[in-house]
Amino acid sequence: MDPVGVADAGPGPAWQSKCPWGAPNTTSISCSLADVMSEQLAKELQLEEENAAFPEVVAVAEGPFITGENIDTSSDLMLAQMLQMEFDREYDAQLRREEKKINGDSKVSISFENYRKVHPYDSDSSEDEVDWQDTRHDPYRADKPTTTPRKGFIGKGKDITTKHDEVVCGRKNTARMENFAPEFQVGDGIGMDLKLSNQVFNALKQHAYSEERRSARLHEKKEHSTAEKAVDPKTRLLLYKMVNAGMLETITGCISTGKESVVFHAYGGKSATEDKVIPPECAIKVFKTTLNEFKNRDKYIKDDYRFKDRFSKLNPRKIIRMWAEKEMHNLTRMQNAGIPCPQVVILKKHVLVMSFIGQDQIPAPKLKDVTLSSEDMKKAYYQILDMMQQLYKECNLVHADLSEYNMLWHDGKVWLIDVSQSVEPTHPHGLEFLFRDCRNVSQFFQKGGVTEALNERELFNAVSGLNITADNEVDFQAEIEALEKMNEDHVQNHGKKLSMFSSDGDPPIYDE
Ligand code: ADP
Ligand code: MN
């Protein structure tokens, strides 16, 4: 065994005769299970790594150093270095002992790390990441920008496959298998004194990782599916209170589960106040507090230094309530303008109760799911044109997610829903959103055979009252963006919007 781990710089026969101390008495150190588990071995392995971290010293000395069979004392420099190294190590070992003594079992511990002589190494760190030495491609890097701390058996595992003795390394690899996920069965490799080659070890490690990730995915899926059906306890309590207060008669079931919300149907109850009438059927839109999307994203964002500040300022619960509140305000504006849309009943935190569009628990079909006669189709088109203009001019709003998915066909007319993301036209991207809405609408009706349907650019001008003349999509889009920019600058410089945007509508609710 070569405890130094620099066997590849092996000694030539010439120096051996020069060695004043002759050959050491132990040529190899046996390695049993007890050894593998022992602190002594762990220390030795740490020493190896320390040495590995000092290639330049090795280079200067032109050969291996430290005790063992490879002793070159031909140079004073090297001797000095060896002594220094030995001293530093002892010093560090002493530091470690003191550190341990001071910290004991205390949860808060102090570290003498900075006082160590032999750097860089990290004996207490649980990070034990193996470099993917056999492959340049690290399949997990994209998902794991930082290394995951794992409970390490011994020190830091850099360079394990390159510089070390095959046997030690093999045993080390076997021992390291213990670091794989707890569910991953590794057997008693240590007890059998199994020596894994680096290649096999890396392959196993990679396999263990993918297993871990696979089971995590499965678990998440399971959690997701239950989360979609039910709501979290806090939301359940909110709903229960509404029923208990008599505001809702019964909650019958779920009509829709989306990425950001779950919608339930309920029969309305009695209002506590006389001036407010609760509709016979209600839709309850629960904005998801456990946004899986969001949670998934957070783990990638929060460690990214670019987002660190911003991320820490965001409070997911607040953001979600804000969406619910926005939907309420927007629906109220639309209601006041006489646009067919759900009527707000009540908002409680992230739960919005509104009138149900549909009958006897059956929600009105979305425009995309209903087959209309060509007459109704034409009627629907003109109604939407009208609604878009009203929305823009009277409500000072752009729907921003307008499509056949968010329009319901009920009672022989179109109803607009899903307005939590709606913005005012002066939103920095408001006009772009409007253009997208126009594209969806005109494409749907043109495909649906409404020959009178304006194209998206004509529709945009008809709704906004702007007069953008570009006759192709790219130029049109560019003009829209230029207008947005102009307005932004104007707001910056004069503290108010351009006159073309001035409206008598409500003051802005949220300025994103
Ligand atoms: P999201 O698309 O963000 O999940 P929506 O507001 O579009 O949320 O609601 C999802 C679905 O729930 C709608 O497509 C519609 O089928 C149904 N729904 C929502 N609100 C109502 C309502 N007031 N009446 C009847 N059905 C509704
Ligand atoms: Mn929707």
Side-chain angles (χ1 to χ4, degrees), residues 13-76:
W15 63 267
Q16 238 156 3
S17 55
K18 285 187 210 159
C19 177
W21 296 314
N25 20 359
T26 47
T27 49
S28 76
I29 299 164
S30 71
C31 191
S32 66
L33 173 62
D35 280 340
V36 171
M37 304 309 288
S38 80
E39 231 181 73
Q40 175 64 31
L41 183 69
K43 271 206 185 113
E44 275 175 25
L45 293 170
Q46 277 166 8
L47 294 186
E48 274 179 53
E49 274 138 21
E50 285 166 29
N51 290 327
F54 275 81
E56 67 279 2
V57 179
V58 180
V60 172
E62 285 174 358
F65 54 101
I66 216 68
T67 55
E69 56 192 72
N70 308 333
I71 300 173
D72 182 356
T73 49
S74 58
S75 118
D76 287 348

Side-chain angles (χ1 to χ4, degrees), residues 178-356:
E178 300 288 309
N179 298 335
F180 293 172
E183 317 80 63
F184 193 78
Q185 297 300 319
V186 293
D188 185 18
I190 297 170
M192 295 187 299
D193 196 22
L194 185 71
K195 296 165 202 83
L196 286 181
S197 79
N198 292 319
Q199 212 177 354
V200 175
F201 173 76
N202 278 340
L204 277 173
K205 173 132 185 167
Q206 203 152 2
H207 175 68
Y209 263 124
S210 21
E211 279 298 296
E212 209 180 332
R213 287 167 58 84
R214 195 176 62 89
S215 75
R217 266 203 307 275
L218 280 177
H219 182 71
E220 195 173 277
K221 223 177 187 175
K222 227 158 78 187
E223 225 176 37
H224 197 220
S225 62
T226 48
E228 271 181 357
K229 284 196 195 79
V231 288
D232 61 286
K234 275 193 190 134
T235 309
R236 230 172 304 157
L237 186 64
L238 265 176
L239 296 178
Y240 174 77
K241 277 183 180 167
M242 288 180 187
V243 176
N244 212 29
M247 202 183 72
L248 296 177
E249 181 73 39
T250 41
I251 299 171
T252 62
C254 172
I255 349 174
S256 155
T257 59
K259 228 166 37 188
E260 282 134 18
S261 70
V262 187
V263 180
F264 296 94
H265 170 273
Y267 283 109
K270 287 188 180 62
S271 172
T273 54
E274 291 202 349
D275 56 323
K276 198 164 183 177
V277 180
I278 294 175
E281 288 183 77
C282 294
I284 309 168
K285 187 167 177 176
V286 178
F287 290 76
K288 282 192 183 171
T289 46
T290 48
L291 270 186
N292 271 310
E293 292 285 307
F294 196 87
K295 272 197 330 204
N296 284 344
R297 233 173 295 154
D298 105 20
K299 89 174 158 221
Y300 300 121
I301 291 174
K302 77 168 186 270
D303 293 327
D304 187 325
Y305 68 96
R306 292 171 305 172
F307 297 106
K308 219 160 201 153
D309 280 339
R310 256 188 290 167
F311 189 82
S312 60
K313 287 189 194 113
L314 297 178
N315 172 346
R317 217 161 351 140
K318 274 192 189 153
I319 292 171
I320 284 149
R321 279 195 205 177
M322 193 192 85
W323 287 117
E325 215 174 301
K326 251 183 91 171
E327 175 130 34
M328 178 192 72
H329 284 300
N330 291 341
L331 282 175
T332 307
R333 280 196 199 183
M334 289 159 72
Q335 195 70 209
N336 290 343
I339 294 173
C341 68
Q343 188 195 337
V344 174
V345 177
I346 198 168
L347 172 78
K348 286 257 185 221
K349 295 182 177 175
H350 58 288
V351 175
L352 179 64
V353 182
M354 55 190 146
S355 64
F356 179 72

